[in-house]
Amino acid sequence: MSVFCVDANFCPDCGNVLPLPGASDTVRCARCSSSFPIAAREIHSTVVFNPAEQSTLALEDVGDAELKGPVIDRRCSSCNKEGMIYHTRQMRSADEGQTVFFTCIHCRYQEKEDS
């Protein structure tokens, strides 16, 4: 009689995690040496991609939309006025710094800075 809840990933006798099945028809528990038949399982997965037009926003689409975000004291290299809005994105791998995007609140010039 099983002491633990029956789950194909755990030994019903001792509760230890069972190893991944190999070429044989059974799996042996590393802790109590009990042997169990492999239950056939099917795994289904679905990948849904967002449409390209939703994931990228063209500058023309922004147009007269209100700029939102924190304003910092940074001089725009296009109009030479103070005040830019910024946001950050992780564009590269996780062990590298974020990319900071700046937008001028006066002329809407955009620039980026890799950190």
Side-chain angles (χ1 to χ4, degrees):
M1 180 173 179
S2 294
V3 178
F4 297 94
C5 294
V6 179
D7 184 328
N9 298 318
F10 298 93
C11 175
D13 296 337
C14 69
N16 193 43
V17 177
L18 293 173
L20 293 173
S24 66
D25 293 341
T26 60
V27 174
R28 182 174 300 278
C29 177
R31 184 173 184 209
C32 69
S33 299
S34 296
S35 184
F36 308 98
I38 297 174
R41 287 187 170 189
E42 279 189 38
I43 299 173
H44 299 275
S45 62
T46 305
V47 177
V48 178
F49 293 98
N50 292 333
E53 56 272 2
Q54 282 185 350
S55 62
T56 57
L57 181 64
L59 287 175
E60 298 83 38
D61 294 342
V62 174
D64 293 330
E66 182 181 332
L67 293 173
K68 294 182 182 177
V71 178
I72 60 168
D73 293 331
R74 181 180 173 109
R75 189 168 299 279
C76 176
S77 58
S78 177
C79 69
N80 206 29
K81 293 183 180 177
E82 286 284 332
M84 296 188 88
I85 292 174
Y86 74 94
H87 70 276
T88 60
R89 292 246 171 113
Q90 188 70 37
M91 303 298 286
R92 297 168 290 170
S93 62
D95 63 340
E96 297 182 23
Q98 293 183 350
T99 301
V100 183
F101 295 91
F102 298 96
T103 305
C104 178
I105 59 174
H106 305 285
C107 69
R108 296 186 184 232
Y109 176 76
Q110 293 184 333
E111 55 189 49
K112 72 176 185 173
E113 180 180 283
D114 295 322
S115 54

